[in-house]
Amino acid sequence: MACRVTRLAGRVFPEDPLELARTVRDWLARTAPMADRLVATPRAVIAPHAGLPVCGAVMAGAWSATRDAAPDRIVLLAAAPMPDFTGIAVPVHHGAIEIPGKKLRIDRDACRALIRSGRAHGREAAFEAQPGIDAHLPFARFLHPRVPVVPLVVGQVAPARIAAVIDRLDRLPGQTLFVLSSDLGRAGTAAEARRLQARTAALIETGQGARLTPDAASGALVLAGWQGSQAGQGCRALRLGHAVTHPKGGGPVSGHGAWAVYPPQGALLPDGLSEVLLDVARRAVGSGLSRGTAPHMRPDSYALPLRTLMASAVTLTAGGTCIGSAATLTPHLPLVADVAGNAARAALRDPRATGRAPDPQALGIEIDLLGPATPLEMPDEAALLARLVPGETGLALSDAGRHAMLLPSAWAELDDPQLFVAALRRKAGLPPDHWSATQQIRLLHAERLVAPAEALPVAA
C-alpha cells in the first residue's frame, strides 16, 4: 500500500517524533479544562491550520472537543491554495499518510465511492504541501489512532457540490466526524484583524456561511458547503477559541478561530455554564425590577462558549404559571448578553409580569437556547404538518406585518401538529386556518434550561 509522506514536518509541526508527540499532548492538556465543560459530541469542528507553532492552542481547542467521540472515519476538508484548482480532490493511489513516527490510514472505500459517484476526482498532487490537511493529522492520530481519514481538497466549485459530498459521506455506515479546516482573515493591524475575526465569527455562528469570502476565511467555500448540507442544516456552532498572531519579520496579522458544531437538538452547555446563564438571567430580572433597566454586560468576562452569538428566549413563572416572556429569533448578541436582555424585558415589558413578583428569587426561570432558524418553503398545510416533530421542533411565523413564535416546549400543552400550527397563527393574530403565499415560516430547535423559584447557587 503506497504511503504519502508529509512534506510539512518541521513547518506546521515538529519533525522529531518525540517532540511532536509531546507538543500535541501538551497543547491538548492545556485545553482540557474547556473540553471538560462540553457535554455533547460535535458533528464537526472548525479549526485553523496555520500550524502548532502559530496557533497550537486554538487547534487543540477544536480537537479537544472530539476526544470523547468514537467516529468510524474523520473527513478533513480544506480549500485548495491554488486559484486555478477546480473540483474536489481525493487521494486515489495512496492508502496512508505518514507523519513523524506515525501513519494514518486513508479510508480508500469512501474515496473510491466519491469518485464513482462523480462528486470528486483523484488528484494526488492536490495534497502535496497542503497545510489544510496535514496540520491536523497529529491531532487525529493522537486522539483517534485507529480511525481512518478521508482527505478532501476543495477547489473552485459551487457550495452545493461540496454539500453533496458532505451528505454522501454522512450517509455512510457508522459515525462521521467532519473537520472543516480554515484560518481566518488577515489584516494590517491586530485591531483590524480582531474586527475582521468578529465579523467572520458572526457569519459562522448565525448560519450565514454563504456570505463568507476567502478574505474573511481561507475555508470560506468549505464552511458554506457545510452549512448548505443536510448534515449541517440547523447545526449550532459553539465558540471554543480565538487568537490573532503576528508573523515573524512583520507582515499581515492573522486571525484564528475554533468552533464545535452540534446537531440542532440535544444538550449544548454543561451544567456549570448552564448555571451561569440562569444566574445571569435572575440577576437581570432583579436589575429590571429594582432599577428599571437591564444590567450592563461585559461578555468578555465570561467563558468563550457563552460569547457565541446565539438567540434565546426567557420565560418567567410564578406558581407554575407563565407571567412574562421575551425572545430574540435572530442571533445578534453574545449569548450571555442576549439572555440578560430578554430576562429584563420579560420582567419589565410583559404586562403579565407587572407588579406580580417583585422578588426575583420567587420566580422560576426558563431559558431556551435557539439554534439557527431554518426557512421552510411548504407547498401546503399537509407538508408543513409533516415536518413537525412533537416535543422537538418549534415554529416562527411572519405574515402581513404579524409575527409569532412557539417554542418546542409548547408541545406540553399542544400535543397535535394541527393544534400547534393553529395556536401559532392565533398568537400572530391570524385565523387558525391561515395560509398565504407571502408567509414566512421557520423551523426552530431549542435547548431548555430551568431554574425553579429559590435560585440556584450563584455560579463562580
Side-chain angles (χ1 to χ4, degrees), residues 360-396:
Q361 305 299 321
L363 295 175
I365 296 179
E366 299 169 353
I367 301 173
D368 286 279
L369 311 181
L370 305 182
T374 303
L376 297 180
E377 295 184 7
M378 297 286 102
D380 52 37
E381 179 95 353
L384 173 61
L385 297 177
R387 284 298 304 270
L388 297 181
V389 180
E392 290 188 11
T393 52
L395 285 178

PDB file of all heavy atoms in Angstrom, residues 360-396:
ATOM      1  N   PRO A 360     -37.101  38.582  42.649  1.00  0.00           N
ATOM      2  CA  PRO A 360     -36.663  37.657  41.598  1.00  0.00           C
ATOM      3  C   PRO A 360     -36.411  36.254  42.116  1.00  0.00           C
ATOM      4  O   PRO A 360     -36.475  35.286  41.356  1.00  0.00           O
ATOM      5  CB  PRO A 360     -35.373  38.313  41.083  1.00  0.00           C
ATOM      6  CG  PRO A 360     -34.918  39.222  42.163  1.00  0.00           C
ATOM      7  CD  PRO A 360     -36.162  39.698  42.839  1.00  0.00           C
ATOM      8  N   GLN A 361     -36.147  36.105  43.420  1.00  0.00           N
ATOM      9  CA  GLN A 361     -35.923  34.763  43.962  1.00  0.00           C
ATOM     10  C   GLN A 361     -37.206  33.937  43.966  1.00  0.00           C
ATOM     11  O   GLN A 361     -37.157  32.708  44.033  1.00  0.00           O
ATOM     12  CB  GLN A 361     -35.379  34.867  45.396  1.00  0.00           C
ATOM     13  CG  GLN A 361     -34.116  35.710  45.532  1.00  0.00           C
ATOM     14  CD  GLN A 361     -32.955  35.160  44.731  1.00  0.00           C
ATOM     15  OE1 GLN A 361     -32.781  33.956  44.672  1.00  0.00           O
ATOM     16  NE2 GLN A 361     -32.167  36.031  44.124  1.00  0.00           N
ATOM     17  N   ALA A 362     -38.351  34.620  43.898  1.00  0.00           N
ATOM     18  CA  ALA A 362     -39.630  33.914  43.930  1.00  0.00           C
ATOM     19  C   ALA A 362     -40.081  33.453  42.549  1.00  0.00           C
ATOM     20  O   ALA A 362     -41.152  32.860  42.422  1.00  0.00           O
ATOM     21  CB  ALA A 362     -40.695  34.812  44.541  1.00  0.00           C
ATOM     22  N   LEU A 363     -39.286  33.741  41.548  1.00  0.00           N
ATOM     23  CA  LEU A 363     -39.653  33.398  40.182  1.00  0.00           C
ATOM     24  C   LEU A 363     -38.944  32.144  39.705  1.00  0.00           C
ATOM     25  O   LEU A 363     -37.772  31.914  40.024  1.00  0.00           O
ATOM     26  CB  LEU A 363     -39.291  34.544  39.227  1.00  0.00           C
ATOM     27  CG  LEU A 363     -40.028  35.871  39.414  1.00  0.00           C
ATOM     28  CD1 LEU A 363     -39.441  36.906  38.473  1.00  0.00           C
ATOM     29  CD2 LEU A 363     -41.511  35.702  39.166  1.00  0.00           C
ATOM     30  N   GLY A 364     -39.646  31.348  38.924  1.00  0.00           N
ATOM     31  CA  GLY A 364     -38.992  30.304  38.157  1.00  0.00           C
ATOM     32  C   GLY A 364     -38.495  30.897  36.852  1.00  0.00           C
ATOM     33  O   GLY A 364     -39.125  31.805  36.289  1.00  0.00           O
ATOM     34  N   ILE A 365     -37.359  30.449  36.375  1.00  0.00           N
ATOM     35  CA  ILE A 365     -36.770  30.987  35.149  1.00  0.00           C
ATOM     36  C   ILE A 365     -36.481  29.832  34.193  1.00  0.00           C
ATOM     37  O   ILE A 365     -35.882  28.824  34.582  1.00  0.00           O
ATOM     38  CB  ILE A 365     -35.479  31.769  35.441  1.00  0.00           C
ATOM     39  CG1 ILE A 365     -35.797  33.002  36.291  1.00  0.00           C
ATOM     40  CG2 ILE A 365     -34.783  32.177  34.146  1.00  0.00           C
ATOM     41  CD1 ILE A 365     -34.579  33.830  36.642  1.00  0.00           C
ATOM     42  N   GLU A 366     -36.929  30.013  32.961  1.00  0.00           N
ATOM     43  CA  GLU A 366     -36.668  29.028  31.912  1.00  0.00           C
ATOM     44  C   GLU A 366     -36.000  29.744  30.744  1.00  0.00           C
ATOM     45  O   GLU A 366     -36.456  30.796  30.306  1.00  0.00           O
ATOM     46  CB  GLU A 366     -37.977  28.380  31.452  1.00  0.00           C
ATOM     47  CG  GLU A 366     -38.701  27.638  32.578  1.00  0.00           C
ATOM     48  CD  GLU A 366     -40.117  27.230  32.209  1.00  0.00           C
ATOM     49  OE1 GLU A 366     -40.574  27.653  31.125  1.00  0.00           O
ATOM     50  OE2 GLU A 366     -40.762  26.515  32.994  1.00  0.00           O
ATOM     51  N   ILE A 367     -34.899  29.183  30.275  1.00  0.00           N
ATOM     52  CA  ILE A 367     -34.165  29.751  29.145  1.00  0.00           C
ATOM     53  C   ILE A 367     -34.161  28.736  28.013  1.00  0.00           C
ATOM     54  O   ILE A 367     -33.829  27.569  28.228  1.00  0.00           O
ATOM     55  CB  ILE A 367     -32.714  30.099  29.530  1.00  0.00           C
ATOM     56  CG1 ILE A 367     -32.674  31.092  30.687  1.00  0.00           C
ATOM     57  CG2 ILE A 367     -31.963  30.659  28.327  1.00  0.00           C
ATOM     58  CD1 ILE A 367     -31.254  31.338  31.213  1.00  0.00           C
ATOM     59  N   ASP A 368     -34.535  29.188  26.837  1.00  0.00           N
ATOM     60  CA  ASP A 368     -34.430  28.355  25.640  1.00  0.00           C
ATOM     61  C   ASP A 368     -33.310  28.907  24.773  1.00  0.00           C
ATOM     62  O   ASP A 368     -33.329  30.084  24.387  1.00  0.00           O
ATOM     63  CB  ASP A 368     -35.742  28.359  24.854  1.00  0.00           C
ATOM     64  CG  ASP A 368     -36.814  27.520  25.521  1.00  0.00           C
ATOM     65  OD1 ASP A 368     -36.782  26.292  25.342  1.00  0.00           O
ATOM     66  OD2 ASP A 368     -37.663  28.087  26.237  1.00  0.00           O
ATOM     67  N   LEU A 369     -32.319  28.052  24.491  1.00  0.00           N
ATOM     68  CA  LEU A 369     -31.227  28.421  23.591  1.00  0.00           C
ATOM     69  C   LEU A 369     -31.630  27.995  22.189  1.00  0.00           C
ATOM     70  O   LEU A 369     -31.817  26.807  21.925  1.00  0.00           O
ATOM     71  CB  LEU A 369     -29.934  27.719  24.006  1.00  0.00           C
ATOM     72  CG  LEU A 369     -29.549  27.818  25.491  1.00  0.00           C
ATOM     73  CD1 LEU A 369     -28.229  27.106  25.744  1.00  0.00           C
ATOM     74  CD2 LEU A 369     -29.461  29.276  25.925  1.00  0.00           C
ATOM     75  N   LEU A 370     -31.757  28.960  21.297  1.00  0.00           N
ATOM     76  CA  LEU A 370     -32.301  28.681  19.970  1.00  0.00           C
ATOM     77  C   LEU A 370     -31.190  28.471  18.957  1.00  0.00           C
ATOM     78  O   LEU A 370     -30.251  29.268  18.876  1.00  0.00           O
ATOM     79  CB  LEU A 370     -33.190  29.845  19.504  1.00  0.00           C
ATOM     80  CG  LEU A 370     -34.329  30.247  20.448  1.00  0.00           C
ATOM     81  CD1 LEU A 370     -35.134  31.365  19.840  1.00  0.00           C
ATOM     82  CD2 LEU A 370     -35.227  29.059  20.742  1.00  0.00           C
ATOM     83  N   GLY A 371     -31.305  27.404  18.194  1.00  0.00           N
ATOM     84  CA  GLY A 371     -30.401  27.197  17.077  1.00  0.00           C
ATOM     85  C   GLY A 371     -30.828  28.061  15.904  1.00  0.00           C
ATOM     86  O   GLY A 371     -31.871  28.724  15.940  1.00  0.00           O
ATOM     87  N   PRO A 372     -30.022  28.096  14.832  1.00  0.00           N
ATOM     88  CA  PRO A 372     -30.406  28.873  13.646  1.00  0.00           C
ATOM     89  C   PRO A 372     -31.768  28.437  13.121  1.00  0.00           C
ATOM     90  O   PRO A 372     -32.038  27.246  12.972  1.00  0.00           O
ATOM     91  CB  PRO A 372     -29.293  28.559  12.640  1.00  0.00           C
ATOM     92  CG  PRO A 372     -28.123  28.149  13.476  1.00  0.00           C
ATOM     93  CD  PRO A 372     -28.709  27.440  14.659  1.00  0.00           C
ATOM     94  N   ALA A 373     -32.631  29.405  12.861  1.00  0.00           N
ATOM     95  CA  ALA A 373     -33.956  29.099  12.331  1.00  0.00           C
ATOM     96  C   ALA A 373     -33.843  28.680  10.865  1.00  0.00           C
ATOM     97  O   ALA A 373     -33.164  29.343  10.071  1.00  0.00           O
ATOM     98  CB  ALA A 373     -34.869  30.314  12.469  1.00  0.00           C
ATOM     99  N   THR A 374     -34.497  27.595  10.506  1.00  0.00           N
ATOM    100  CA  THR A 374     -34.420  27.055   9.145  1.00  0.00           C
ATOM    101  C   THR A 374     -35.656  27.467   8.362  1.00  0.00           C
ATOM    102  O   THR A 374     -36.778  27.091   8.717  1.00  0.00           O
ATOM    103  CB  THR A 374     -34.338  25.517   9.179  1.00  0.00           C
ATOM    104  OG1 THR A 374     -33.209  25.124   9.972  1.00  0.00           O
ATOM    105  CG2 THR A 374     -34.198  24.960   7.772  1.00  0.00           C
ATOM    106  N   PRO A 375     -35.501  28.270   7.289  1.00  0.00           N
ATOM    107  CA  PRO A 375     -36.679  28.649   6.490  1.00  0.00           C
ATOM    108  C   PRO A 375     -37.332  27.420   5.859  1.00  0.00           C
ATOM    109  O   PRO A 375     -36.644  26.518   5.369  1.00  0.00           O
ATOM    110  CB  PRO A 375     -36.100  29.581   5.422  1.00  0.00           C
ATOM    111  CG  PRO A 375     -34.775  30.035   5.962  1.00  0.00           C
ATOM    112  CD  PRO A 375     -34.274  28.892   6.790  1.00  0.00           C
ATOM    113  N   LEU A 376     -38.649  27.406   5.883  1.00  0.00           N
ATOM    114  CA  LEU A 376     -39.406  26.325   5.270  1.00  0.00           C
ATOM    115  C   LEU A 376     -40.215  26.876   4.101  1.00  0.00           C
ATOM    116  O   LEU A 376     -40.889  27.895   4.229  1.00  0.00           O
ATOM    117  CB  LEU A 376     -40.362  25.683   6.287  1.00  0.00           C
ATOM    118  CG  LEU A 376     -39.748  24.987   7.503  1.00  0.00           C
ATOM    119  CD1 LEU A 376     -40.855  24.414   8.381  1.00  0.00           C
ATOM    120  CD2 LEU A 376     -38.796  23.876   7.071  1.00  0.00           C
ATOM    121  N   GLU A 377     -40.149  26.192   2.963  1.00  0.00           N
ATOM    122  CA  GLU A 377     -40.998  26.528   1.822  1.00  0.00           C
ATOM    123  C   GLU A 377     -41.917  25.338   1.581  1.00  0.00           C
ATOM    124  O   GLU A 377     -41.538  24.362   0.940  1.00  0.00           O
ATOM    125  CB  GLU A 377     -40.148  26.845   0.591  1.00  0.00           C
ATOM    126  CG  GLU A 377     -39.288  28.097   0.762  1.00  0.00           C
ATOM    127  CD  GLU A 377     -38.528  28.448  -0.501  1.00  0.00           C
ATOM    128  OE1 GLU A 377     -38.779  27.785  -1.539  1.00  0.00           O
ATOM    129  OE2 GLU A 377     -37.698  29.359  -0.452  1.00  0.00           O
ATOM    130  N   MET A 378     -43.108  25.439   2.133  1.00  0.00           N
ATOM    131  CA  MET A 378     -44.039  24.318   2.120  1.00  0.00           C
ATOM    132  C   MET A 378     -45.132  24.547   1.072  1.00  0.00           C
ATOM    133  O   MET A 378     -45.702  25.647   0.996  1.00  0.00           O
ATOM    134  CB  MET A 378     -44.690  24.158   3.496  1.00  0.00           C
ATOM    135  CG  MET A 378     -43.716  23.825   4.617  1.00  0.00           C
ATOM    136  SD  MET A 378     -43.136  22.104   4.545  1.00  0.00           S
ATOM    137  CE  MET A 378     -41.517  22.315   3.828  1.00  0.00           C
ATOM    138  N   PRO A 379     -45.431  23.532   0.272  1.00  0.00           N
ATOM    139  CA  PRO A 379     -46.464  23.708  -0.750  1.00  0.00           C
ATOM    140  C   PRO A 379     -47.873  23.774  -0.180  1.00  0.00           C
ATOM    141  O   PRO A 379     -48.768  24.378  -0.786  1.00  0.00           O
ATOM    142  CB  PRO A 379     -46.288  22.482  -1.651  1.00  0.00           C
ATOM    143  CG  PRO A 379     -45.682  21.447  -0.752  1.00  0.00           C
ATOM    144  CD  PRO A 379     -44.798  22.210   0.187  1.00  0.00           C
ATOM    145  N   ASP A 380     -48.084  23.148   0.975  1.00  0.00           N
ATOM    146  CA  ASP A 380     -49.421  23.142   1.548  1.00  0.00           C
ATOM    147  C   ASP A 380     -49.339  22.818   3.039  1.00  0.00           C
ATOM    148  O   ASP A 380     -48.269  22.541   3.587  1.00  0.00           O
ATOM    149  CB  ASP A 380     -50.334  22.134   0.827  1.00  0.00           C
ATOM    150  CG  ASP A 380     -49.703  20.738   0.741  1.00  0.00           C
ATOM    151  OD1 ASP A 380     -49.025  20.331   1.722  1.00  0.00           O
ATOM    152  OD2 ASP A 380     -49.877  20.070  -0.287  1.00  0.00           O
ATOM    153  N   GLU A 381     -50.490  22.848   3.679  1.00  0.00           N
ATOM    154  CA  GLU A 381     -50.584  22.600   5.112  1.00  0.00           C
ATOM    155  C   GLU A 381     -50.112  21.194   5.489  1.00  0.00           C
ATOM    156  O   GLU A 381     -49.418  21.008   6.501  1.00  0.00           O
ATOM    157  CB  GLU A 381     -52.040  22.785   5.556  1.00  0.00           C
ATOM    158  CG  GLU A 381     -52.295  22.540   7.022  1.00  0.00           C
ATOM    159  CD  GLU A 381     -52.253  23.816   7.837  1.00  0.00           C
ATOM    160  OE1 GLU A 381     -51.899  24.854   7.263  1.00  0.00           O
ATOM    161  OE2 GLU A 381     -52.569  23.771   9.026  1.00  0.00           O
ATOM    162  N   ALA A 382     -50.438  20.209   4.678  1.00  0.00           N
ATOM    163  CA  ALA A 382     -50.066  18.833   4.996  1.00  0.00           C
ATOM    164  C   ALA A 382     -48.550  18.677   5.048  1.00  0.00           C
ATOM    165  O   ALA A 382     -48.009  17.989   5.919  1.00  0.00           O
ATOM    166  CB  ALA A 382     -50.677  17.878   3.968  1.00  0.00           C
ATOM    167  N   ALA A 383     -47.846  19.326   4.121  1.00  0.00           N
ATOM    168  CA  ALA A 383     -46.385  19.244   4.102  1.00  0.00           C
ATOM    169  C   ALA A 383     -45.788  19.906   5.339  1.00  0.00           C
ATOM    170  O   ALA A 383     -44.805  19.410   5.906  1.00  0.00           O
ATOM    171  CB  ALA A 383     -45.841  19.893   2.838  1.00  0.00           C
ATOM    172  N   LEU A 384     -46.376  21.022   5.759  1.00  0.00           N
ATOM    173  CA  LEU A 384     -45.902  21.710   6.964  1.00  0.00           C
ATOM    174  C   LEU A 384     -46.092  20.826   8.190  1.00  0.00           C
ATOM    175  O   LEU A 384     -45.168  20.671   9.008  1.00  0.00           O
ATOM    176  CB  LEU A 384     -46.648  23.027   7.140  1.00  0.00           C
ATOM    177  CG  LEU A 384     -46.375  23.786   8.439  1.00  0.00           C
ATOM    178  CD1 LEU A 384     -44.906  24.154   8.552  1.00  0.00           C
ATOM    179  CD2 LEU A 384     -47.254  25.034   8.522  1.00  0.00           C
ATOM    180  N   LEU A 385     -47.266  20.242   8.332  1.00  0.00           N
ATOM    181  CA  LEU A 385     -47.540  19.389   9.497  1.00  0.00           C
ATOM    182  C   LEU A 385     -46.596  18.188   9.532  1.00  0.00           C
ATOM    183  O   LEU A 385     -46.187  17.748  10.616  1.00  0.00           O
ATOM    184  CB  LEU A 385     -48.995  18.921   9.476  1.00  0.00           C
ATOM    185  CG  LEU A 385     -50.068  20.018   9.574  1.00  0.00           C
ATOM    186  CD1 LEU A 385     -51.464  19.415   9.470  1.00  0.00           C
ATOM    187  CD2 LEU A 385     -49.925  20.798  10.874  1.00  0.00           C
ATOM    188  N   ALA A 386     -46.213  17.686   8.362  1.00  0.00           N
ATOM    189  CA  ALA A 386     -45.330  16.526   8.306  1.00  0.00           C
ATOM    190  C   ALA A 386     -43.915  16.847   8.780  1.00  0.00           C
ATOM    191  O   ALA A 386     -43.181  15.948   9.200  1.00  0.00           O
ATOM    192  CB  ALA A 386     -45.283  15.972   6.879  1.00  0.00           C
ATOM    193  N   ARG A 387     -43.505  18.119   8.719  1.00  0.00           N
ATOM    194  CA  ARG A 387     -42.162  18.500   9.159  1.00  0.00           C
ATOM    195  C   ARG A 387     -42.052  18.638  10.676  1.00  0.00           C
ATOM    196  O   ARG A 387     -40.945  18.682  11.218  1.00  0.00           O
ATOM    197  CB  ARG A 387     -41.754  19.840   8.521  1.00  0.00           C
ATOM    198  CG  ARG A 387     -41.358  19.759   7.082  1.00  0.00           C
ATOM    199  CD  ARG A 387     -40.132  18.877   6.858  1.00  0.00           C
ATOM    200  NE  ARG A 387     -38.969  19.291   7.634  1.00  0.00           N
ATOM    201  CZ  ARG A 387     -38.055  20.156   7.215  1.00  0.00           C
ATOM    202  NH1 ARG A 387     -38.162  20.706   6.004  1.00  0.00           N
ATOM    203  NH2 ARG A 387     -37.014  20.468   7.971  1.00  0.00           N
ATOM    204  N   LEU A 388     -43.183  18.722  11.361  1.00  0.00           N
ATOM    205  CA  LEU A 388     -43.144  18.958  12.802  1.00  0.00           C
ATOM    206  C   LEU A 388     -42.915  17.659  13.560  1.00  0.00           C
ATOM    207  O   LEU A 388     -43.468  16.612  13.227  1.00  0.00           O
ATOM    208  CB  LEU A 388     -44.458  19.594  13.262  1.00  0.00           C
ATOM    209  CG  LEU A 388     -44.772  20.980  12.668  1.00  0.00           C
ATOM    210  CD1 LEU A 388     -46.081  21.500  13.229  1.00  0.00           C
ATOM    211  CD2 LEU A 388     -43.646  21.955  12.933  1.00  0.00           C
ATOM    212  N   VAL A 389     -42.085  17.763  14.591  1.00  0.00           N
ATOM    213  CA  VAL A 389     -41.828  16.629  15.476  1.00  0.00           C
ATOM    214  C   VAL A 389     -42.252  17.051  16.875  1.00  0.00           C
ATOM    215  O   VAL A 389     -41.599  17.902  17.492  1.00  0.00           O
ATOM    216  CB  VAL A 389     -40.342  16.227  15.466  1.00  0.00           C
ATOM    217  CG1 VAL A 389     -40.114  15.046  16.403  1.00  0.00           C
ATOM    218  CG2 VAL A 389     -39.884  15.901  14.052  1.00  0.00           C
ATOM    219  N   PRO A 390     -43.350  16.515  17.393  1.00  0.00           N
ATOM    220  CA  PRO A 390     -43.816  16.918  18.716  1.00  0.00           C
ATOM    221  C   PRO A 390     -42.713  16.801  19.770  1.00  0.00           C
ATOM    222  O   PRO A 390     -42.019  15.792  19.861  1.00  0.00           O
ATOM    223  CB  PRO A 390     -44.973  15.955  18.998  1.00  0.00           C
ATOM    224  CG  PRO A 390     -45.503  15.620  17.634  1.00  0.00           C
ATOM    225  CD  PRO A 390     -44.287  15.559  16.758  1.00  0.00           C
ATOM    226  N   GLY A 391     -42.564  17.862  20.540  1.00  0.00           N
ATOM    227  CA  GLY A 391     -41.569  17.895  21.595  1.00  0.00           C
ATOM    228  C   GLY A 391     -40.192  18.331  21.143  1.00  0.00           C
ATOM    229  O   GLY A 391     -39.331  18.631  21.980  1.00  0.00           O
ATOM    230  N   GLU A 392     -39.940  18.387  19.831  1.00  0.00           N
ATOM    231  CA  GLU A 392     -38.595  18.713  19.339  1.00  0.00           C
ATOM    232  C   GLU A 392     -38.534  19.988  18.518  1.00  0.00           C
ATOM    233  O   GLU A 392     -37.537  20.705  18.564  1.00  0.00           O
ATOM    234  CB  GLU A 392     -38.044  17.558  18.495  1.00  0.00           C
ATOM    235  CG  GLU A 392     -37.707  16.309  19.298  1.00  0.00           C
ATOM    236  CD  GLU A 392     -36.991  15.282  18.442  1.00  0.00           C
ATOM    237  OE1 GLU A 392     -36.573  15.629  17.305  1.00  0.00           O
ATOM    238  OE2 GLU A 392     -36.847  14.135  18.899  1.00  0.00           O
ATOM    239  N   THR A 393     -39.552  20.281  17.723  1.00  0.00           N
ATOM    240  CA  THR A 393     -39.478  21.411  16.809  1.00  0.00           C
ATOM    241  C   THR A 393     -40.458  22.506  17.202  1.00  0.00           C
ATOM    242  O   THR A 393     -41.572  22.238  17.659  1.00  0.00           O
ATOM    243  CB  THR A 393     -39.777  20.976  15.360  1.00  0.00           C
ATOM    244  OG1 THR A 393     -41.022  20.258  15.327  1.00  0.00           O
ATOM    245  CG2 THR A 393     -38.678  20.079  14.836  1.00  0.00           C
ATOM    246  N   GLY A 394     -40.033  23.738  17.011  1.00  0.00           N
ATOM    247  CA  GLY A 394     -40.906  24.885  17.169  1.00  0.00           C
ATOM    248  C   GLY A 394     -41.057  25.583  15.826  1.00  0.00           C
ATOM    249  O   GLY A 394     -40.456  25.181  14.830  1.00  0.00           O
ATOM    250  N   LEU A 395     -41.855  26.632  15.794  1.00  0.00           N
ATOM    251  CA  LEU A 395     -42.095  27.368  14.559  1.00  0.00           C
ATOM    252  C   LEU A 395     -42.114  28.861  14.835  1.00  0.00           C
ATOM    253  O   LEU A 395     -42.555  29.305  15.903  1.00  0.00           O
ATOM    254  CB  LEU A 395     -43.427  26.966  13.923  1.00  0.00           C
ATOM    255  CG  LEU A 395     -43.535  25.630  13.198  1.00  0.00           C
ATOM    256  CD1 LEU A 395     -44.966  25.436  12.694  1.00  0.00           C
ATOM    257  CD2 LEU A 395     -42.557  25.537  12.039  1.00  0.00           C
ATOM    258  N   ALA A 396     -41.661  29.626  13.842  1.00  0.00           N
ATOM    259  CA  ALA A 396     -41.823  31.079  13.835  1.00  0.00           C
ATOM    260  C   ALA A 396     -42.576  31.437  12.563  1.00  0.00           C
ATOM    261  O   ALA A 396     -42.313  30.889  11.492  1.00  0.00           O
ATOM    262  CB  ALA A 396     -40.477  31.778  13.874  1.00  0.00           C
TER     263      ALA A 396
END
